[in-house]
Amino acid sequence: MAGATDIPSVTPERIKADLRALGLVPGSVLMMHTAMSKIGRVEGGPGAVLEAILDVLGPEGTLMVPTFSYSYDKRDVAEAFDPRTTPSCNNGVLADTL
């Protein structure tokens, strides 16, 4: 029986090829809502996934990621949102890394 360590890693080059096969080109607009667990083990981790996506989109492309930071809520005092430090709420490591 093969274990999880026997599963080959996904490479950033494979991610780029797959995104291009889906029709993404430089200048595309991409709304990404995903999880690392759905991609698999990636060589380089979440940073490599984001670098691959941004490489395909190019500097003129746009990557949007929902973070649902809930910086406001029904508490008496809501914490201020800070894009550098406020984590996403249940949107995973890709949203937090971006």
Side-chain angles (χ1 to χ4, degrees):
M1 182 166 124
T5 58
D6 298 331
I7 300 170
S9 294
V10 176
T11 65
E13 291 306 316
R14 169 68 188 269
I15 293 170
K16 291 178 195 181
D18 288 348
L19 292 172
R20 289 179 178 123
L22 289 171
L24 291 176
V25 296
S28 291
V29 176
L30 175 65
M31 175 66 157
M32 179 183 77
H33 187 81
T34 190
M36 287 294 293
S37 63
K38 301 302 179 191
I39 299 170
R41 190 178 55 207
V42 178
E43 292 178 13
V49 172
L50 294 171
E51 286 179 28
I53 294 168
L54 294 173
D55 187 52
V56 170
L57 297 178
E60 60 276 11
T62 301
L63 174 60
M64 299 176 287
V65 178
T67 59
F68 306 116
S69 63
Y70 302 125
S71 60
Y72 63 93
D73 61 18
K74 295 179 182 178
R75 293 178 291 165
D76 290 335
V77 179
E79 296 176 20
F81 173 78
D82 183 337
R84 294 167 299 181
T85 60
T86 303
S88 66
C89 291
N90 301 317
N91 280 308
V93 69
L94 287 171
D96 284 342
T97 300
L98 184 63

